[in-house]
Amino acid sequence: CVEDPSEPASREFWRLVESLFGTTDRGELVAAIYQSRSSTQDLAQLAKVVGKDYGDGVRYAVESVKQSLSSLAGLVVGHVSKYCATGPIVQVAVTGGLWDASPLFLHSFQGELNLYQESDQTADNCRQYHVKRQEAEPVIGAVRIAQRMFYGN
């Protein structure tokens, strides 16, 4: 297993990259990802090890997770500002893949939303964001609501 010295990461990360894509060489890796028929699924398999590296403070993981979750928080805040009611509390439910890989992702996403909240405390936009994991898949919740409406219980 070859480690790239310009991008320090855990051995576990590089082993998984090599097993998924057959290489740890940066140029070959990009090509392997683009040529893969299941690149989304392959990359998703990295979530657990990235979460572990993030928890251990490994630079690539900290920077990647922070940048990605900050962008996601910006999208959420923008969407809420444009399309949602102006209530003071916004409940954000997340489910599936990434959020199951490590609880640190959820905690960090809440932190990024808090940063937006702190920087946008105008009279027109004073919202608190509360993030939680949705235990049931959204479609299951929709089915339950439909059943209650249909059967009246």
Side-chain angles (χ1 to χ4, degrees):
C1 179
V2 178
E3 293 189 36
D4 181 351
S6 68
E7 287 293 325
S10 66
R11 289 184 188 275
E12 186 180 354
F13 174 85
W14 287 116
R15 282 188 198 118
L16 184 55
V17 165
E18 190 169 44
S19 73
L20 289 171
F21 302 105
T23 185
T24 59
D25 176 79
R26 189 176 295 214
E28 292 175 11
L29 187 54
V30 171
I33 292 169
Y34 278 108
Q35 292 171 357
S36 173
R37 290 192 173 161
S38 59
S39 61
T40 304
Q41 293 169 335
D42 292 341
L43 290 171
Q45 290 184 51
L46 293 171
K48 283 187 181 180
V49 72
V50 170
K52 182 182 178 310
D53 283 356
Y54 177 71
D56 291 343
V58 179
R59 190 183 82 230
Y60 87 92
V62 171
E63 291 174 2
S64 175
V65 169
K66 180 155 179 58
Q67 179 182 1
S68 298
L69 294 180
S70 178
S71 294
L72 180 59
L75 287 171
V76 168
V77 169
H79 180 84
V80 167
S81 295
K82 187 172 182 176
Y83 298 107
C84 297
T86 57
I89 297 177
V90 177
Q91 299 288 340
V92 179
V94 297
T95 187
L98 177 70
W99 312 107
D100 294 338
S102 171
L104 293 173
F105 294 130
L106 183 75
H107 178 74
S108 298
F109 181 47
Q110 178 69 65
E112 292 300 322
L113 284 168
N114 290 348
L115 290 176
Y116 274 94
Q117 175 185 328
E118 291 167 9
S119 68
D120 194 17
Q121 289 295 313
T122 64
D124 293 337
N125 192 21
C126 187
R127 295 187 180 97
Q128 292 180 358
Y129 292 85
H130 296 247
V131 180
K132 67 175 187 162
R133 281 197 65 245
Q134 177 140 351
E135 297 305 319
E137 294 293 327
V139 72
I140 294 170
V143 168
R144 288 182 185 148
I145 291 170
Q147 286 173 331
R148 282 194 302 257
M149 291 173 64
F150 184 76
Y151 294 113
N153 16 352

